[in-house]
Amino acid sequence: MTEKIDHSNDLEQQSPLSLMIVEDNEAQLKTLSVIMQDKGFQVDPCRTAAEAMEHFERDGAGVVVLDLDLPDANGMEVLRKLADRSGVPIILHTAFSSFESARDAVNLGAFAYVE
């Protein structure tokens, strides 16, 4: 007789994955944070590129969700800097997408590009 193993609680027993969200729009940041916290992520919100780089240097991140349009830098520059420093998956998200920006993001090392 084969015993069935229940793995339904395995994710709850693991430590939460650190997710840095870099987003200057407060409503979008809050929405993304709530959704990802509900999925078990430890969310570290950052509102500027400078804050994100400082946080990343100090604490790192398991995954980065990065807005393309930030008040103090272009998201592509931040993507380039983060991709050069780590193997962390970086998901670029934006409301202002284009084929060119999606292509550039993937070529710079983005794990995904979400409109």
Side-chain angles (χ1 to χ4, degrees), residues 61-109:
V63 177
V64 176
V65 176
L66 175 63
D67 185 16
L68 183 60
D69 188 28
L70 296 168
D72 62 337
N74 179 294
M76 292 293 185
E77 276 303 310
V78 179
L79 169 62
R80 182 179 288 113
K81 289 176 184 176
L82 290 175
D84 285 348
R85 296 178 185 193
S86 71
V88 171
I90 302 168
I91 301 167
L92 197 68
H93 80 99
T94 183
F96 307 102
S97 67
S98 68
F99 171 78
E100 291 79 15
S101 67
R103 180 197 60 219
D104 292 347
V106 170
N107 287 337
L108 287 172

Side-chain angles (χ1 to χ4, degrees), residues 5-109:
I5 300 172
D6 181 9
H7 293 285
S8 61
N9 291 324
D10 287 355
L11 285 177
E12 293 173 15
Q13 294 173 0
Q14 296 175 0
S15 61
L17 183 61
S18 170
L19 174 71
M20 182 171 67
I21 300 175
V22 187
E23 171 62 65
D24 63 313
N25 180 292
E26 198 61 40
Q28 184 77 9
L29 181 60
K30 184 174 181 177
T31 299
L32 287 170
S33 295
V34 167
I35 290 169
M36 299 314 288
Q37 286 170 339
D38 286 349
K39 298 294 181 185
F41 287 87
Q42 171 192 319
V43 175
D44 299 309
C46 297
R47 289 160 186 81
T48 66
E51 184 181 352
M53 294 307 296
E54 181 181 316
H55 174 82
F56 192 81
E57 291 293 324
R58 184 184 61 240
D59 300 321
V63 177
V64 176
V65 176
L66 175 63
D67 185 16
L68 183 60
D69 188 28
L70 296 168
D72 62 337
N74 179 294
M76 292 293 185
E77 276 303 310
V78 179
L79 169 62
R80 182 179 288 113
K81 289 176 184 176
L82 290 175
D84 285 348
R85 296 178 185 193
S86 71
V88 171
I90 302 168
I91 301 167
L92 197 68
H93 80 99
T94 183
F96 307 102
S97 67
S98 68
F99 171 78
E100 291 79 15
S101 67
R103 180 197 60 219
D104 292 347
V106 170
N107 287 337
L108 287 172

Side-chain angles (χ1 to χ4, degrees), residues 1-7:
M1 180 175 205
T2 304
E3 181 181 339
K4 186 174 179 179
I5 300 172
D6 181 9
H7 293 285

